[in-house]
Amino acid sequence: MKDEESGNRLGRYLRARRELVSPAQAGLPPGGNRRVPGLRREEVALLAGISPDYYLRLERGRDKNPSPQVLESLARVLRLDDTERTYLLGLAAARPRKPRRKHPEQVPARVHELLAHLEIPAFVEGRAFDVLASNPMAVALSPRLRPGENRLRSLLLDPEEQAFHQDWTKATADFVAALRTTIGDDTDDPRFVELVGELALSSQRFRTLWARHDVRALDGGTTTVHHPVVGELRLHRDKLPIDDVILVVYYPDKDSDSDEKLRLLAALSATGSADAARERPADTPRPEEA
């Protein structure tokens, strides 16, 4: 019986995580002729203090009710952090539920007013990273932040967005792990099904990351991006829940080099100069150079 067909999410997660733990990390000798990456099933069972047969039943979905003590032991062996441990416990606690009626994600009118008053890049995203609303500064920062775009799709498939991020590898890993965390047990949500299916077909990077079963909260942080007009920007990010959507804001340290560049971008955006500069071929002289 195939795990994918049986809906054995707990078993898939356990297998994916044990493949990421090396024998050395678990305090075991590497040994020779290992046919699997990471730890063997029997090694996980030994380190967790459970029988190999019982662990095999967990991975194959034959036992869906492990005790919290067993899960805590497995979390320790698999070196899970707090977010991953919570996710593991949630997989075991998940029970069949009645389908929920899906409501379209709506941006409250007051949030549209707030976006209009903010002078820093700000936008509203849904649970699947769909951009639902944005202010002019967000679009000046990145055209991929227009309403109707999807941030994860842009990150994985748009060459300009890939060049925009200083650390694209980390950004993609963070976003994909955050998507899996957001989905949780809501695996029948049509928007999630559509997005995961599209990216699984079109992006090898997504397929690789999705198979890892990483989970991560993508909240606040600091990122560095390469803007095609004003250059490198170091920006802080905060994500603020409002009703059923998320307000995302980007802002620099006050009086920093990035603060000055963001002010320049605002001025250029107000006159339309930013769009003209963005669209000019790299070898086309600027007006002052002509």
Side-chain angles (χ1 to χ4, degrees):
M1 178 176 62
K2 295 182 179 179
D3 288 338
E4 295 292 341
E5 296 173 352
S6 64
N8 179 22
R9 295 171 59 223
L10 174 61
R12 293 199 302 275
Y13 187 66
L14 289 173
R15 183 169 61 249
R17 301 319 298 178
R18 73 174 169 83
E19 290 178 351
L20 297 174
V21 180
S22 70
Q25 289 175 315
L28 298 173
N33 299 321
R34 299 185 69 89
R35 294 181 299 171
V36 295
L39 298 177
R40 301 184 179 101
R41 291 190 182 98
E42 58 269 22
E43 291 171 335
V44 174
L46 173 66
L47 294 169
I50 59 179
S51 74
D53 179 67
Y54 180 60
Y55 180 76
L56 180 63
R57 294 205 306 273
L58 287 177
E59 272 206 8
R60 292 186 174 176
R62 295 174 183 170
D63 189 320
K64 299 182 182 297
N65 297 288
S67 70
Q69 293 80 6
V70 166
L71 293 173
E72 292 285 359
S73 294
L74 291 171
R76 172 181 53 78
V77 173
L78 299 175
R79 303 171 64 86
L80 304 186
D81 61 24
D82 289 342
T83 300
E84 294 162 342
R85 171 183 162 277
T86 299
Y87 183 79
L88 173 65
L89 294 170
L91 289 177
R95 296 289 183 270
R97 55 183 173 79
K98 295 180 180 179
R100 291 179 293 182
R101 180 175 296 177
K102 307 299 179 185
H103 299 283
E105 293 174 315
Q106 300 284 349
V107 180
R110 70 183 189 280
V111 177
H112 284 288
E113 293 293 330
L114 175 60
L115 287 174
H117 283 83
L118 289 174
E119 297 180 355
I120 55 176
F123 60 96
V124 177
E125 69 180 16
R127 297 177 65 216
F129 297 120
D130 293 312
V131 180
L132 306 176
S134 59
N135 67 1
M137 275 302 296
V139 178
L141 180 66
S142 169
R144 280 78 61 188
L145 292 179
R146 289 190 178 97
E149 298 283 345
N150 179 271
R151 297 183 67 205
L152 182 55
R153 183 194 297 115
S154 296
L155 186 63
L156 288 164
L157 303 180
D158 190 317
E160 291 186 6
E161 186 70 6
Q162 294 171 11
F164 182 69
H165 290 266
Q166 182 185 64
D167 193 342
W168 179 79
T169 300
K170 182 179 185 301
T172 54
D174 287 345
F175 266 76
V176 173
L179 178 66
R180 186 177 284 281
T181 306
T182 301
I183 290 176
D185 65 350
D186 207 9
T187 54
D188 61 345
D189 185 298
R191 181 64 187 117
F192 289 138
V193 172
E194 176 189 28
L195 181 62
V196 171
E198 175 191 357
L199 295 177
L201 289 173
S202 55
S203 170
Q204 177 60 50
R205 175 65 175 163
F206 178 82
R207 291 193 293 272
T208 298
L209 292 171
W210 196 247
R212 289 173 56 94
H213 287 252
D214 289 334
V215 290
R216 197 168 304 151
L218 186 58
D219 297 321
T222 302
T223 187
T224 299
V225 298
H226 295 289
H227 193 277
V229 177
V230 299
E232 183 176 291
L233 293 166
R234 182 177 184 272
L235 301 172
H236 304 298
R237 177 189 67 239
D238 277 320
K239 305 185 77 168
L240 311 172
I242 300 179
D243 294 347
D244 295 328
V245 296
I246 302 292
L247 173 66
V248 185
V249 294
Y250 283 92
Y251 57 95
D253 288 327
K254 185 173 177 58
D255 298 327
S256 64
D257 181 61
S258 293
D259 190 11
E260 182 179 343
K261 289 179 179 179
L262 204 60
R263 293 176 187 276
L264 173 60
L265 181 60
L268 292 173
S269 178
T271 62
S273 301
D275 289 338
R278 186 192 300 271
E279 294 170 2
R280 183 186 300 113
D283 57 353
T284 300
R286 296 178 183 275
E288 64 272 19
E289 297 172 348

